[in-house]
Amino acid sequence: MFGGFYRRQVFDRIGLFDEELVRNQDDELNLRLTRSGGRIWQSPKVKSWYSPRNSMSALFRQYTQYGYWKVRVIQKHKLPASWRHLVPGAFVGTLALLLTTGLLFSVAALVTRPSTGC
C-alpha cells in the first residue's frame, strides 16, 4: 500500500489486508473501511516519492493487473466501490456491440440489395 497509515483499532475492527489479492489490497481495505463508516484522510503534510514504471509496456502490464484485480474486489464485495469502476467494461462491451451490429447490417445490406435486372 502506498502511503497509508492506520491506527491498530482500524485493523481490529475491519480486519487486515486480504493477502489473496495480488494487487489492489489497499483499495480493498479502503473499501471495507469506508463501508464500515470510516474515513480516509489525506494531509498535504505527508511527503512521499513515487518512481514511475520505466517503459510503456511495464505501465501497460501494471494497469492490466490493476483492472484484473479490481474485478476480483468487485466479485468479493458483490458491488463496485464506485460506478466509475464499471465504465471500462461498459465501453468495451459497447464497442463489441457496435462492431457486431455493424457487421450484421453490412451483411444484411449485401444480401437484400436489389439486383439490377439484365
Side-chain angles (χ1 to χ4, degrees):
M1 173 177 41
F2 182 75
F5 298 93
Y6 302 90
R7 293 186 175 156
R8 176 66 199 180
Q9 297 89 339
V10 170
F11 295 111
D12 293 340
R13 185 165 50 99
I14 66 170
L16 301 173
F17 289 100
D18 183 346
E19 294 184 15
E20 291 183 11
L21 298 173
V22 173
R23 297 277 184 273
N24 296 35
Q25 303 94 337
D26 57 338
D27 186 47
E28 193 271 339
L29 181 77
N30 288 337
L31 176 62
R32 285 187 280 135
L33 176 65
T34 56
R35 286 194 176 165
S36 70
R39 293 187 316 163
I40 298 168
W41 181 72
Q42 296 177 331
S43 171
K45 294 178 183 177
V46 174
K47 303 294 180 201
S48 60
W49 291 263
Y50 177 77
S51 298
R53 299 293 184 257
N54 59 6
S55 70
M56 288 302 287
S57 61
L59 182 66
F60 180 79
R61 280 192 305 276
Q62 175 187 359
Y63 278 93
T64 300
Q65 290 177 357
Y66 283 166
Y68 174 82
W69 290 99
K70 176 63 70 182
V71 171
R72 305 299 299 158
V73 171
I74 292 171
Q75 288 173 337
K76 176 181 176 181
H77 290 278
K78 309 292 189 241
L79 286 172
S82 169
W83 65 269
R84 65 189 164 109
H85 295 139
L86 303 176
V87 170
F91 177 72
V92 171
T94 301
L95 288 179
L97 179 67
L98 289 172
L99 177 65
T100 304
T101 304
L103 290 173
L104 289 175
F105 277 103
S106 296
V107 169
L110 290 173
V111 171
T112 60
R113 178 176 290 166
S115 63
T116 57
C118 289

